[in-house]
Amino acid sequence: MVRSGGLLTSVRDPVALKSIAVTLSINDFVAGVSATLNYENEEKSPLEAFFVFPMDEDSAVYSFEAFVDGKKIVAELQDKYQAHKRYEEALSGGYQAYLLEEDKCSRDVFCCNVGNLQPGSKVSLTLRYVQELPLEDDGALRYVLPAILNPRYHLSDGREDSNLDMKTPIVPLEELPYTLSMVATISSQLGISTIQSNCPLNPIEYTGDNKTSAQVSLAEGHKFDRDVELLIFYRKVHSPSVAVEMGMSGRPSDSLMGAPSAMVSFYPDIPEVETTTKRGEFVFLMDRSRSMNSPMSSKDKSQLRIDAAKETLILLLKSLPMGCYFNIYGFGATHEEFFPDSVMYNQETMQIAVKKVKRLLADLGGTELLTPLRKIFRKPPIPGHPLQVFVFTDGEVVETFSVIREVMFQSKKHRCFSFGIGEGASTSLIKNLARVSGGTAEFITGNDRMQSKALRSLRRSLQSVVEDVSLSWNLPPQMFAPMLSPEQTSIFRGQRLIIYSLLIGKIPKEEATGEVCLSYKLHGKSYEEKVTFSLQPKPDDNLTIHRLAAKSMIQSKDFGFKETSLMYKRDVLDISLESGVMSSFTAFVAINKELNEPIQGPLVHRDIPRPILLGAGPNRPSDGYPKALFCASAPVTLPPWLKGSGKCVATIFMPNGTPQQRQNSQKKKCVVHTDTRPELPHLAKYDSYPQGSKEHSIAQLIYLQNADGSWDMNEDLAKILSTSLEDITAARPTEVLEPSAWATMLAVTWLHANGKELKDEWELLERKAVVWLHNNSALTLIFPLHSPWFQQAYTYCQQALEDIFESLDLQVIRVMPGRMAFFPASCHTLHLVS
């Protein structure tokens, strides 16, 4: 049930929080953030104000300060129980007090309490944190300032109090009474290529030589309708590096904060090894809570989350390898599975699953993920098929630590690939599911396509396993480097690897260097990558690397109040207090002892309202069907090789070398009409893209693919290709090419010619199609170059044709002027015709 949603209300009482000002400093791969909350009491009574807000799971909060009447009051990090006790005692004594803490149920939700705020008084509270920036596949560093906090769901059996249990007022965006501003400074010797954002920015100012530094700010009027996202592109982002930071003076030279610390950043150049594995048990868990009826973003006509999820599931199903096992679960307040146990992937089981996916609704109430996960883990493993779990959720679940702990306990038998859908998804849940199991995490917001990110994770799950990952150091005598980061169990191609370590021992006074080596094995072959670095540590007043290392250690042991063992709790508490980085068991508290006025009666309680996205919320109704969006769209251009232009002539050689001629009369030209798009009534509910759009056509073409990778030659395929079944049949070389092979070749080439920008979504299913063609079409083709239709085709999609024939193990050779031949690479004799 939902305990924290609140009511949609107007703000009738004055709101103490007036503005939020964020100063962001990005240096290479690390962000330092200072966020100031400005309060003012416009009421006639003293207030106690509560503000619940989101932060990224990876944020290492290390400082909390209050500015009152020009005076700075620095908060102390204490055991959470002691901090609460001091806060309450201060209020009872008439003092002004401030408290900052993580929520007990999720590390990405914080609460700031301002106690005894006097009438007419103003106070500014500043919290500071540092954070690693994740690297996207396109080379962009991604910083997100969370602005959206969605409701989180509880089980009905009751839990410890959560900050999210407060009846926080929820108001429409236009009525939100406080503002947000952000100024960002970016600097890197790697060189800044460009900066992008999902929010309006003021003009970028480059301040360094060769664009090594820049400043940018958020345009006025941010409406809290989305998280603020910055994408920073460096020129040499894939270069390995090691940064060494000086420890705190006065601390023991071998302690966590006293010794120099190193941050090692690798971008392993793992070879791309083609795998034809058919092994694996793929289990997809799809959120079907009511909140999945919300739009993907705040933009008009944005696709509903449940619609994007259904399309993604069908795409995943079409991309699975033959011979694997799979199952699909829907979860909410209850859960449903497609099959009692995982089934072998074939045409029959795929068709059953696709039909069930098309009927899915966001109708299962709240979000309870723990029960279906436990049910999956308790099932006996399938020998030779390692378990791969894919979790899709908008992350609105309070039992975060229970779910994470369960996944961690089962990490030896599976990997989890997690996806946060829409604005406000819990970074604590999504990131930790992947972190503790050796998978990857993805967030889908704004204009992101869920399909692209899901297929990227599926490709990673099919990658060959990288084994024996280790890090070794070459340091001067009497120096060693104990690891602070958790043991690295998996590396994926295209991922960055960050490792923290202390440098213990005497560092030579003269300029000295060290070397660190990353080693791993792939298919029995050993690989190494090395980087040399200076051992001279650099001072940093914020102790950025030390605190990021401490945060990494805390994350590996902190599972909240209920789920953390006593041994780990003690470790987390010690690391947190030594490093000054907040945890589930510590909180910042500050007392203004100059204010000592007796409180007349109880303090007036004020919860700071938070925004609600239009159309969002757990009670949004749903008709259960994808909404069709109608807008103008340019017609999809088909490959010219399907367009009739004179006679279509192909010389086909049978395996025995006998040529067979097929010549189509001009009455049966392969004519393609591109002015209108076809209607396929029984496919209309598959996707919610505008009729006639490229995405719509690709989605329908994918829907028609068989489990083995082939397409059938039928009216549905002909309509998607904007031609007729009669024309396609007439153009087919019937003597040697089966209808399915011809249809598959047309479908694959159509994808290459019309869907290049979405290739990462159909790449796996295209690979299946090519393998199927290779196994079912032993033929040699010779095309006359002087044929107008072939010249058009070759000019239009030359690379596509060559890629396809190369994948079919066909070599290309010019055998005489005016002719080009495609023949099997294993063929020793080439038969020519005059």
Side-chain angles (χ1 to χ4, degrees):
M1 64 178 180
V2 181
R3 296 178 178 168
S4 59
L7 301 175
L8 185 64
T9 62
S10 297
V11 180
R12 296 183 176 86
D13 297 315
V15 175
L17 180 62
K18 299 302 179 184
S19 65
I20 304 172
V22 177
T23 301
L24 170 65
S25 177
I26 295 176
N27 187 10
D28 290 336
F29 304 116
V30 174
V33 185
S34 174
T36 299
L37 312 176
N38 297 303
Y39 292 84
E40 180 180 0
N41 183 3
E42 297 177 339
E43 301 189 50
K44 296 180 180 180
S45 302
L47 297 180
E48 183 177 22
F50 296 82
F51 181 44
V52 178
F53 58 97
M55 288 185 67
D56 192 279
E57 150 75 19
D58 292 332
S59 303
V61 180
Y62 66 89
S63 174
F64 184 52
E65 299 173 343
F67 292 85
V68 185
D69 299 326
K71 179 182 178 182
K72 181 171 73 172
I73 305 170
V74 179
E76 296 179 22
L77 185 66
Q78 298 183 348
D79 179 293
K80 184 174 283 190
Y81 174 80
Q82 295 296 329
H84 273 267
K85 183 178 179 181
R86 281 194 62 196
Y87 177 80
E88 297 296 338
E89 289 175 348
L91 295 186
S92 299
Y95 298 115
Q96 202 170 57
Y98 319 97
L99 184 72
L100 178 70
E101 62 179 332
E102 289 183 4
D103 184 68
K104 290 183 178 181
C105 297
S106 186
R107 284 201 300 250
D108 64 344
V109 178
F110 285 70
C111 183
C112 179
N113 298 6
V114 179
N116 199 6
L117 185 61
Q118 294 295 302
S121 66
K122 299 180 180 180
V123 61
S124 296
L125 303 180
T126 299
L127 62 98
R128 295 184 176 87
Y129 64 89
V130 290
Q131 176 187 345
E132 293 175 12
L133 296 184
L135 186 65
E136 302 291 291
D137 272 18
D138 59 1
L141 286 171
R142 182 173 180 261
Y143 169 75
V144 177
L145 177 66
I148 303 299
L149 178 58
N150 293 327
R152 304 288 172 91
Y153 293 89
H154 279 286
L155 291 175
S156 58
D157 58 356
R159 290 291 304 273
E160 67 270 5
D161 291 337
S162 166
N163 294 320
L164 289 168
D165 291 339
M166 297 186 302
K167 297 296 182 182
T168 307
I170 301 177
V171 300
L173 298 174
E174 61 272 12
E175 296 183 22
L176 201 66
Y178 48 89
T179 61
L180 173 67
S181 62
M182 185 184 78
V183 177
T185 302
I186 300 103
S187 60
S188 176
Q189 293 304 312
L190 299 174
I192 302 168
S193 176
T194 186
I195 301 170
Q196 299 175 1
S197 178
N198 64 332
C199 299
L201 300 176
N202 293 318
I204 301 171
E205 299 177 9
Y206 291 97
T207 55
D209 296 334
N210 299 320
K211 291 188 176 181
T212 55
S213 61
Q215 189 173 85
V216 67
S217 59
L218 190 65
E220 291 186 6
H222 181 69
K223 298 298 184 182
F224 284 86
D225 59 341
R226 71 196 74 170
D227 296 338
V228 180
E229 180 180 289
L230 287 181
L231 296 175
I232 302 101
F233 293 84
Y234 293 145
R235 294 196 186 98
K236 300 178 181 178
V237 71
H238 294 159
S239 302
S241 63
V242 179
V244 180
E245 180 180 88
M246 190 179 295
M248 294 178 65
S249 59
R251 296 286 183 95
S253 60
D254 59 351
S255 66
L256 173 62
M257 301 303 290
S261 63
M263 177 181 179
V264 182
S265 178
F266 271 109
Y267 192 89
D269 186 19
I270 299 174
E272 185 173 12
V273 179
E274 189 71 28
T275 176
T276 58
T277 179
K278 297 181 180 179
R279 297 184 177 275
E281 179 186 4
F282 300 88
V283 178
F284 305 100
L285 287 97
M286 184 58 68
D287 192 339
R288 288 176 54 191
S289 62
R290 290 188 298 267
S291 55
M292 288 291 287
N293 280 318
S294 303
M296 288 292 296
S297 73
S298 59
K299 294 184 178 180
D300 291 340
K301 298 182 179 179
S302 175
Q303 189 179 31
L304 297 185
R305 298 176 186 177
I306 188 64
D307 293 344
K310 290 162 69 173
E311 293 166 14
T312 301
L313 276 177
I314 290 179
L315 181 59
L316 287 166
L317 285 171
K318 297 288 184 175
S319 302
L320 289 176
M322 289 290 288
C324 71
Y325 287 78
F326 78 100
N327 205 349
I328 297 176
Y329 286 71
F331 65 92
T334 60
H335 69 273
E336 299 173 356
E337 65 258 44
F338 281 19
F339 307 100
D341 296 294
S342 292
V343 295
M344 180 172 284
Y345 179 77
N346 53 41
Q347 183 66 17
E348 180 184 2
T349 56
M350 186 203 71
Q351 286 182 327
I352 293 172
V354 168
K355 288 179 181 178
K356 289 177 178 287
V357 168
K358 290 169 63 180
R359 295 196 296 266
L360 288 181
L361 304 176
D363 59 353
L364 294 185
T367 310
E368 210 288 88
L369 179 57
L370 188 59
T371 300
L373 274 175
R374 285 176 172 167
K375 186 172 184 178
I376 292 166
F377 293 145
R378 287 170 183 165
K379 291 183 179 294
I382 301 174
H385 291 268
L387 177 62
Q388 315 266 17
V389 178
F390 292 72
V391 177
F392 297 83
T393 178
D394 51 19
E396 299 170 1
V397 55
V398 159
E399 279 66 33
T400 298
F401 290 122
S402 299
V403 173
I404 295 169
R405 189 171 177 84
E406 181 69 21
V407 170
M408 183 188 69
F409 280 158
Q410 305 293 339
S411 61
K412 298 297 183 182
K413 64 168 65 172
H414 87 292
R415 286 191 300 185
C416 183
F417 297 85
S418 52
F419 304 84
I421 303 171
E423 306 284 355
S426 170
T427 60
S428 184
L429 175 68
I430 302 303
K431 289 187 175 183
N432 278 294
L433 288 180
R435 180 181 288 126
V436 301
S437 66
T440 58
E442 299 278 6
F443 290 88
I444 303 129
T445 60
N447 293 326
D448 292 341
R449 286 178 59 81
M450 190 186 303
Q451 296 90 328
S452 297
K453 297 197 171 185
L455 265 293
R456 181 162 66 194
S457 293
L458 181 60
R459 282 194 297 271
R460 285 172 173 166
S461 74
L462 293 170
Q463 285 180 11
S464 299
V465 177
V466 174
E467 301 174 320
D468 297 338
V469 181
S470 63
L471 202 70
S472 58
W473 299 76
N474 184 6
L475 300 171
Q478 299 180 345
M479 281 194 70
F480 62 100
M483 291 268 292
L484 299 179
S485 301
E487 180 183 358
Q488 192 71 29
T489 58
S490 62
I491 306 177
F492 294 99
R493 190 173 187 273
Q495 271 194 315
R496 188 186 57 186
L497 181 63
I498 290 184
I499 300 166
Y500 297 99
S501 181
L502 293 180
L503 295 178
I504 306 296
K506 187 176 181 180
I507 298 178
K509 293 183 179 180
E510 67 277 5
E511 183 66 29
T513 61
E515 183 182 75
V516 59
C517 175
L518 175 69
S519 304
Y520 56 91
K521 288 184 178 180
L522 181 63
H523 287 306
K525 185 177 180 180
S526 298
Y527 295 88
E528 286 187 351
E529 296 185 29
K530 299 179 180 179
V531 60
T532 302
F533 62 96
S534 171
L535 283 171
Q536 300 305 313
K538 296 181 179 180
D540 181 353
D541 293 339
N542 295 327
L543 295 167
T544 300
I545 295 178
H546 284 79
R547 286 178 168 134
L548 287 174
K551 179 67 175 182
S552 176
M553 297 170 70
I554 290 171
Q555 285 177 318
S556 66
K557 299 183 177 184
D558 187 353
F559 296 96
F561 261 70
K562 183 177 180 180
E563 302 297 335
T564 305
S565 66
L566 290 177
M567 181 180 67
Y568 274 2
K569 179 180 179 180
R570 186 70 258 173
D571 290 344
V572 169
L573 194 58
D574 290 343
I575 295 169
S576 177
L577 294 176
E578 181 180 356
S579 64
V581 174
M582 194 177 351
S583 70
S584 296
F585 304 101
T586 52
F588 281 104
V589 61
I591 311 296
N592 181 11
K593 295 187 176 181
E594 292 187 1
L595 177 66
N596 187 6
E597 299 180 7
I599 300 175
Q600 303 298 324
L603 292 174
V604 177
H605 182 100
R606 289 285 180 261
D607 292 327
I608 307 301
R610 55 189 175 87
I612 184 171
L613 299 181
L614 293 178
N619 297 314
R620 175 180 173 147
S622 169
D623 59 10
Y625 293 98
K627 304 294 187 295
L629 307 180
F630 298 95
C631 64
S633 178
V636 179
T637 304
L638 294 172
W641 63 272
L642 277 178
K643 297 182 179 180
S645 178
K647 297 181 179 179
C648 295
V649 181
T651 302
I652 297 124
F653 284 90
M654 298 297 290
N656 62 6
T658 306
Q660 299 287 335
Q661 291 286 340
R662 169 78 184 190
Q663 181 167 325
N664 301 322
S665 68
Q666 294 196 26
K667 292 182 180 180
K668 293 186 178 181
K669 290 189 296 185
C670 195
V671 181
V672 178
H673 304 280
T674 58
D675 53 340
T676 59
R677 300 300 306 142
E679 278 288 344
L680 288 84
H682 62 288
L683 298 182
K685 293 297 182 183
Y686 165 56
D687 69 83
S688 56
Y689 294 110
Q691 190 76 19
S693 69
K694 186 174 296 185
E695 293 87 352
H696 175 82
S697 298
I698 292 174
Q700 291 189 332
L701 183 63
I702 290 171
Y703 175 80
L704 294 176
Q705 190 186 32
N706 297 317
D708 60 8
S710 67
W711 273 266
D712 295 328
M713 198 162 71
N714 53 35
E715 289 285 357
D716 289 336
L717 177 63
K719 289 177 181 178
I720 292 173
L721 301 180
S722 289
T723 185
S724 68
L725 180 59
E726 181 184 9
D727 289 342
I728 293 179
T729 303
R732 177 174 67 91
T734 55
E735 288 82 357
V736 294
L737 202 58
E738 291 295 326
S740 292
W742 181 237
T744 303
M745 290 184 69
L746 298 183
V748 170
T749 309
W750 187 94
L751 284 171
H752 276 273
N754 293 277
K756 289 182 179 178
E757 65 274 19
L758 299 178
K759 184 177 180 180
D760 56 346
E761 297 181 15
W762 49 260
E763 189 174 24
L764 284 179
L765 59 88
E766 180 246 8
R767 188 181 302 171
K768 283 173 58 176
V770 168
V771 170
W772 183 88
L773 280 171
H774 185 274
N775 295 333
N776 291 274
S777 301
L779 53 86
T780 303
L781 300 176
I782 296 181
F783 292 103
L785 283 178
H786 56 72
S787 169
W789 71 267
F790 183 76
Q791 289 176 353
Q792 292 177 11
Y794 198 70
T795 300
Y796 185 80
C797 51
Q798 173 182 355
Q799 189 60 51
L801 285 169
E802 292 187 0
D803 287 348
I804 293 169
F805 286 117
E806 182 180 355
S807 300
L808 288 171
D809 199 23
L810 296 174
Q811 290 184 341
V812 183
I813 185 171
R814 292 179 182 271
V815 295
M816 61 178 59
R819 290 188 180 274
M820 177 172 288
F822 297 86
F823 63 96
S826 58
C827 184
H828 298 289
T829 304
L830 177 63
H831 299 271
L832 303 180
V833 294
S834 60

PDB file of all heavy atoms in Angstrom, residues 10 59 61 70 175 224 232 317 360 448 463 477 495 512 680 720 788 794 817:
ATOM      1  N   SER A  10      -3.310  22.436  -3.001  1.00  0.00           N
ATOM      2  CA  SER A  10      -2.742  23.760  -3.234  1.00  0.00           C
ATOM      3  C   SER A  10      -2.020  24.199  -1.969  1.00  0.00           C
ATOM      4  O   SER A  10      -2.326  23.765  -0.859  1.00  0.00           O
ATOM      5  CB  SER A  10      -3.838  24.770  -3.573  1.00  0.00           C
ATOM      6  OG  SER A  10      -4.490  24.410  -4.769  1.00  0.00           O
ATOM      7  N   SER A  59      26.265   9.309  -4.281  1.00  0.00           N
ATOM      8  CA  SER A  59      26.708  10.560  -3.666  1.00  0.00           C
ATOM      9  C   SER A  59      27.330  10.297  -2.300  1.00  0.00           C
ATOM     10  O   SER A  59      26.718   9.667  -1.437  1.00  0.00           O
ATOM     11  CB  SER A  59      25.530  11.528  -3.510  1.00  0.00           C
ATOM     12  OG  SER A  59      24.921  11.785  -4.755  1.00  0.00           O
ATOM     13  N   VAL A  61      28.087  12.165   0.783  1.00  0.00           N
ATOM     14  CA  VAL A  61      27.831  13.418   1.499  1.00  0.00           C
ATOM     15  C   VAL A  61      28.804  13.522   2.671  1.00  0.00           C
ATOM     16  O   VAL A  61      28.864  12.639   3.527  1.00  0.00           O
ATOM     17  CB  VAL A  61      26.381  13.475   2.008  1.00  0.00           C
ATOM     18  CG1 VAL A  61      26.126  14.781   2.762  1.00  0.00           C
ATOM     19  CG2 VAL A  61      25.401  13.316   0.849  1.00  0.00           C
ATOM     20  N   GLY A  70      24.684  35.502   9.341  1.00  0.00           N
ATOM     21  CA  GLY A  70      26.094  35.693   9.012  1.00  0.00           C
ATOM     22  C   GLY A  70      27.040  34.767   9.756  1.00  0.00           C
ATOM     23  O   GLY A  70      28.260  34.847   9.563  1.00  0.00           O
ATOM     24  N   GLU A 175       2.583  25.343  -9.204  1.00  0.00           N
ATOM     25  CA  GLU A 175       2.340  25.892  -7.875  1.00  0.00           C
ATOM     26  C   GLU A 175       3.508  25.659  -6.915  1.00  0.00           C
ATOM     27  O   GLU A 175       3.418  26.009  -5.748  1.00  0.00           O
ATOM     28  CB  GLU A 175       1.064  25.272  -7.282  1.00  0.00           C
ATOM     29  CG  GLU A 175      -0.199  25.611  -8.057  1.00  0.00           C
ATOM     30  CD  GLU A 175      -1.444  25.043  -7.390  1.00  0.00           C
ATOM     31  OE1 GLU A 175      -1.384  24.770  -6.174  1.00  0.00           O
ATOM     32  OE2 GLU A 175      -2.464  24.887  -8.086  1.00  0.00           O
ATOM     33  N   PHE A 224      11.009  21.652 -12.233  1.00  0.00           N
ATOM     34  CA  PHE A 224      11.041  20.398 -11.476  1.00  0.00           C
ATOM     35  C   PHE A 224      10.216  19.315 -12.179  1.00  0.00           C
ATOM     36  O   PHE A 224       9.676  18.421 -11.533  1.00  0.00           O
ATOM     37  CB  PHE A 224      10.525  20.592 -10.050  1.00  0.00           C
ATOM     38  CG  PHE A 224      11.503  21.262  -9.131  1.00  0.00           C
ATOM     39  CD1 PHE A 224      11.576  22.643  -9.068  1.00  0.00           C
ATOM     40  CD2 PHE A 224      12.367  20.525  -8.347  1.00  0.00           C
ATOM     41  CE1 PHE A 224      12.481  23.270  -8.233  1.00  0.00           C
ATOM     42  CE2 PHE A 224      13.272  21.146  -7.512  1.00  0.00           C
ATOM     43  CZ  PHE A 224      13.338  22.519  -7.457  1.00  0.00           C
ATOM     44  N   ILE A 232      28.741  15.358 -20.644  1.00  0.00           N
ATOM     45  CA  ILE A 232      30.009  16.008 -20.966  1.00  0.00           C
ATOM     46  C   ILE A 232      30.832  15.073 -21.845  1.00  0.00           C
ATOM     47  O   ILE A 232      31.089  13.930 -21.463  1.00  0.00           O
ATOM     48  CB  ILE A 232      30.793  16.382 -19.689  1.00  0.00           C
ATOM     49  CG1 ILE A 232      29.953  17.309 -18.805  1.00  0.00           C
ATOM     50  CG2 ILE A 232      32.118  17.038 -20.046  1.00  0.00           C
ATOM     51  CD1 ILE A 232      29.297  16.638 -17.642  1.00  0.00           C
ATOM     52  N   LEU A 317      12.489 -10.829 -26.717  1.00  0.00           N
ATOM     53  CA  LEU A 317      12.095 -12.187 -27.074  1.00  0.00           C
ATOM     54  C   LEU A 317      12.575 -12.554 -28.478  1.00  0.00           C
ATOM     55  O   LEU A 317      13.050 -13.667 -28.719  1.00  0.00           O
ATOM     56  CB  LEU A 317      10.576 -12.327 -26.995  1.00  0.00           C
ATOM     57  CG  LEU A 317       9.963 -12.423 -25.591  1.00  0.00           C
ATOM     58  CD1 LEU A 317       8.450 -12.344 -25.660  1.00  0.00           C
ATOM     59  CD2 LEU A 317      10.398 -13.711 -24.900  1.00  0.00           C
ATOM     60  N   LEU A 360      -0.512  -7.514 -21.675  1.00  0.00           N
ATOM     61  CA  LEU A 360      -0.101  -7.028 -20.354  1.00  0.00           C
ATOM     62  C   LEU A 360      -0.710  -5.663 -20.047  1.00  0.00           C
ATOM     63  O   LEU A 360      -0.777  -4.790 -20.904  1.00  0.00           O
ATOM     64  CB  LEU A 360       1.419  -6.926 -20.275  1.00  0.00           C
ATOM     65  CG  LEU A 360       2.221  -8.234 -20.211  1.00  0.00           C
ATOM     66  CD1 LEU A 360       3.709  -7.928 -20.110  1.00  0.00           C
ATOM     67  CD2 LEU A 360       1.781  -9.080 -19.027  1.00  0.00           C
ATOM     68  N   ASP A 448      15.307   8.891 -23.960  1.00  0.00           N
ATOM     69  CA  ASP A 448      15.970   7.587 -24.041  1.00  0.00           C
ATOM     70  C   ASP A 448      14.991   6.530 -24.539  1.00  0.00           C
ATOM     71  O   ASP A 448      13.806   6.533 -24.186  1.00  0.00           O
ATOM     72  CB  ASP A 448      16.493   7.155 -22.663  1.00  0.00           C
ATOM     73  CG  ASP A 448      17.630   8.029 -22.181  1.00  0.00           C
ATOM     74  OD1 ASP A 448      18.240   8.716 -23.009  1.00  0.00           O
ATOM     75  OD2 ASP A 448      17.900   8.011 -20.965  1.00  0.00           O
ATOM     76  N   GLN A 463      27.849 -11.946 -23.868  1.00  0.00           N
ATOM     77  CA  GLN A 463      29.294 -11.882 -24.077  1.00  0.00           C
ATOM     78  C   GLN A 463      29.989 -13.057 -23.393  1.00  0.00           C
ATOM     79  O   GLN A 463      29.529 -13.582 -22.384  1.00  0.00           O
ATOM     80  CB  GLN A 463      29.861 -10.571 -23.502  1.00  0.00           C
ATOM     81  CG  GLN A 463      29.580  -9.340 -24.332  1.00  0.00           C
ATOM     82  CD  GLN A 463      30.180  -8.095 -23.697  1.00  0.00           C
ATOM     83  OE1 GLN A 463      30.965  -8.179 -22.759  1.00  0.00           O
ATOM     84  NE2 GLN A 463      29.799  -6.938 -24.213  1.00  0.00           N
ATOM     85  N   PRO A 477      60.523  -0.112  -3.500  1.00  0.00           N
ATOM     86  CA  PRO A 477      60.644  -0.994  -2.331  1.00  0.00           C
ATOM     87  C   PRO A 477      59.971  -0.395  -1.099  1.00  0.00           C
ATOM     88  O   PRO A 477      59.931   0.822  -0.924  1.00  0.00           O
ATOM     89  CB  PRO A 477      62.164  -1.119  -2.131  1.00  0.00           C
ATOM     90  CG  PRO A 477      62.741  -0.823  -3.486  1.00  0.00           C
ATOM     91  CD  PRO A 477      61.842   0.194  -4.109  1.00  0.00           C
ATOM     92  N   GLN A 495      32.868  -1.000 -20.901  1.00  0.00           N
ATOM     93  CA  GLN A 495      32.677  -0.431 -19.571  1.00  0.00           C
ATOM     94  C   GLN A 495      33.964   0.154 -19.023  1.00  0.00           C
ATOM     95  O   GLN A 495      35.052  -0.322 -19.327  1.00  0.00           O
ATOM     96  CB  GLN A 495      32.189  -1.503 -18.592  1.00  0.00           C
ATOM     97  CG  GLN A 495      30.683  -1.638 -18.530  1.00  0.00           C
ATOM     98  CD  GLN A 495      30.278  -2.457 -17.325  1.00  0.00           C
ATOM     99  OE1 GLN A 495      30.859  -3.493 -17.041  1.00  0.00           O
ATOM    100  NE2 GLN A 495      29.276  -2.012 -16.618  1.00  0.00           N
ATOM    101  N   ALA A 512      59.239  10.071  -8.542  1.00  0.00           N
ATOM    102  CA  ALA A 512      59.210   8.621  -8.728  1.00  0.00           C
ATOM    103  C   ALA A 512      57.889   8.233  -9.375  1.00  0.00           C
ATOM    104  O   ALA A 512      56.888   8.947  -9.265  1.00  0.00           O
ATOM    105  CB  ALA A 512      59.379   7.899  -7.391  1.00  0.00           C
ATOM    106  N   LEU A 680      -1.915  -2.601 -40.879  1.00  0.00           N
ATOM    107  CA  LEU A 680      -1.959  -4.009 -40.483  1.00  0.00           C
ATOM    108  C   LEU A 680      -2.842  -4.100 -39.245  1.00  0.00           C
ATOM    109  O   LEU A 680      -2.355  -3.947 -38.123  1.00  0.00           O
ATOM    110  CB  LEU A 680      -0.561  -4.551 -40.194  1.00  0.00           C
ATOM    111  CG  LEU A 680       0.351  -4.760 -41.419  1.00  0.00           C
ATOM    112  CD1 LEU A 680       1.042  -3.468 -41.797  1.00  0.00           C
ATOM    113  CD2 LEU A 680       1.377  -5.833 -41.127  1.00  0.00           C
ATOM    114  N   ILE A 720       4.589  -4.199 -45.060  1.00  0.00           N
ATOM    115  CA  ILE A 720       5.629  -3.421 -44.385  1.00  0.00           C
ATOM    116  C   ILE A 720       6.666  -2.929 -45.382  1.00  0.00           C
ATOM    117  O   ILE A 720       7.190  -1.812 -45.264  1.00  0.00           O
ATOM    118  CB  ILE A 720       6.292  -4.272 -43.279  1.00  0.00           C
ATOM    119  CG1 ILE A 720       5.292  -4.529 -42.145  1.00  0.00           C
ATOM    120  CG2 ILE A 720       7.536  -3.571 -42.727  1.00  0.00           C
ATOM    121  CD1 ILE A 720       5.786  -5.493 -41.103  1.00  0.00           C
ATOM    122  N   PRO A 788      20.264  -1.709 -64.245  1.00  0.00           N
ATOM    123  CA  PRO A 788      19.940  -0.450 -63.543  1.00  0.00           C
ATOM    124  C   PRO A 788      19.492  -0.667 -62.113  1.00  0.00           C
ATOM    125  O   PRO A 788      19.886   0.052 -61.215  1.00  0.00           O
ATOM    126  CB  PRO A 788      18.824   0.146 -64.410  1.00  0.00           C
ATOM    127  CG  PRO A 788      19.010  -0.470 -65.757  1.00  0.00           C
ATOM    128  CD  PRO A 788      19.513  -1.846 -65.510  1.00  0.00           C
ATOM    129  N   TYR A 794      23.110  -1.109 -55.241  1.00  0.00           N
ATOM    130  CA  TYR A 794      24.486  -1.122 -54.748  1.00  0.00           C
ATOM    131  C   TYR A 794      24.930   0.265 -54.315  1.00  0.00           C
ATOM    132  O   TYR A 794      25.662   0.430 -53.348  1.00  0.00           O
ATOM    133  CB  TYR A 794      25.414  -1.662 -55.830  1.00  0.00           C
ATOM    134  CG  TYR A 794      26.746  -2.114 -55.281  1.00  0.00           C
ATOM    135  CD1 TYR A 794      26.823  -3.261 -54.494  1.00  0.00           C
ATOM    136  CD2 TYR A 794      27.909  -1.388 -55.526  1.00  0.00           C
ATOM    137  CE1 TYR A 794      28.026  -3.683 -53.968  1.00  0.00           C
ATOM    138  CE2 TYR A 794      29.120  -1.806 -55.008  1.00  0.00           C
ATOM    139  CZ  TYR A 794      29.174  -2.955 -54.236  1.00  0.00           C
ATOM    140  OH  TYR A 794      30.377  -3.366 -53.716  1.00  0.00           O
ATOM    141  N   PRO A 817      34.302  -7.391 -66.780  1.00  0.00           N
ATOM    142  CA  PRO A 817      33.643  -6.082 -66.860  1.00  0.00           C
ATOM    143  C   PRO A 817      32.130  -6.229 -66.860  1.00  0.00           C
ATOM    144  O   PRO A 817      31.559  -7.023 -67.604  1.00  0.00           O
ATOM    145  CB  PRO A 817      34.165  -5.525 -68.192  1.00  0.00           C
ATOM    146  CG  PRO A 817      35.460  -6.213 -68.410  1.00  0.00           C
ATOM    147  CD  PRO A 817      35.294  -7.591 -67.854  1.00  0.00           C
TER     148      PRO A 817
END
